[in-house]
Amino acid sequence: MLITGAAGGVGRYAVQLAALGGAHVIASVGSPARAGGLAELGAHEVVVGLEDVDRPVDLVLDNVGGPQLAAAWELLAPGGGVQNIGWASDEPAVFAPYSLFSVGPAKTMSTFGDAREVGPDLATLLAFVAAGKLSPEVDWRGPWERVTEAAQALLDRRIAGKAVLDVEPAATA
């Protein structure tokens, strides 16, 4: 399984969950500096970009979109699937003519939909956290008043994992 954008908050969860599920995990990051900690979370391979992925993959979880989504599609084995769940690149994905066609079992690409019944999934994730099988990967924590700083750090990709904002209860008179 190939996970693009593996160093982000969603990607770090994806690496852990794929490893828990028994997948051989290839974690793709945007720079060597973003690779830290992914092997400890369960990634079998950590690559910068996709150039070093030298064999077909059965499943891609794409957080990046744009040109990397098109490149990931080319790495997909016949019968494999791409689940596109993010678009961090902010760039269009352009597929070469006929590149979506393949001989043999069909490849698929899908996006996540409107999740309405999240309770059971959240309960499963919380149970994994409580059992020490899943790390929330909090990389930044601060008071609510620093929301702008936290948002900018996330946008600038200076946070590997999640940002948590602490909200203090209102003072009572």
Side-chain angles (χ1 to χ4, degrees):
M1 175 176 188
L2 171 63
I3 300 170
T4 67
V10 172
R12 293 175 100 66
Y13 273 127
V15 166
Q16 293 177 79
L17 292 170
L20 278 170
H24 177 90
V25 180
I26 304 170
S28 172
V29 298
S31 69
R34 303 276 292 163
L38 292 171
E40 292 80 4
L41 294 178
H44 297 88
E45 301 174 51
V46 180
V47 296
V48 177
L50 299 179
E51 294 77 26
D52 291 333
V53 180
D54 59 359
R55 64 190 177 285
V57 296
D58 295 314
L59 181 62
V60 176
L61 185 66
D62 176 56
N63 291 289
V64 178
Q68 195 164 71
L69 173 58
W73 176 263
E74 293 298 321
L75 291 169
L76 199 58
V82 173
Q83 182 73 38
N84 173 253
I85 62 169
W87 214 277
S89 71
D90 249 352
E91 298 178 47
V94 178
F95 294 86
Y98 305 107
S99 66
L100 299 179
F101 174 80
S102 63
V103 175
K107 299 183 199 181
T108 60
M109 184 181 313
S110 58
T111 62
F112 66 95
D114 183 13
R116 295 182 187 268
E117 297 295 326
V118 298
D121 291 338
L122 288 175
T124 299
L125 294 175
L126 287 172
F128 283 155
V129 170
K133 295 180 179 180
L134 182 66
S135 170
E137 294 297 296
V138 175
D139 190 41
W140 187 97
R141 187 172 193 144
W144 175 255
E145 293 78 17
R146 293 174 58 193
V147 64
T148 303
E149 178 186 341
Q152 193 60 56
L154 285 165
L155 290 170
D156 292 344
R157 310 255 188 290
R158 288 183 279 126
I159 294 176
K162 301 287 186 196
V164 173
L165 295 167
D166 295 317
V167 178
E168 297 294 326
T172 57

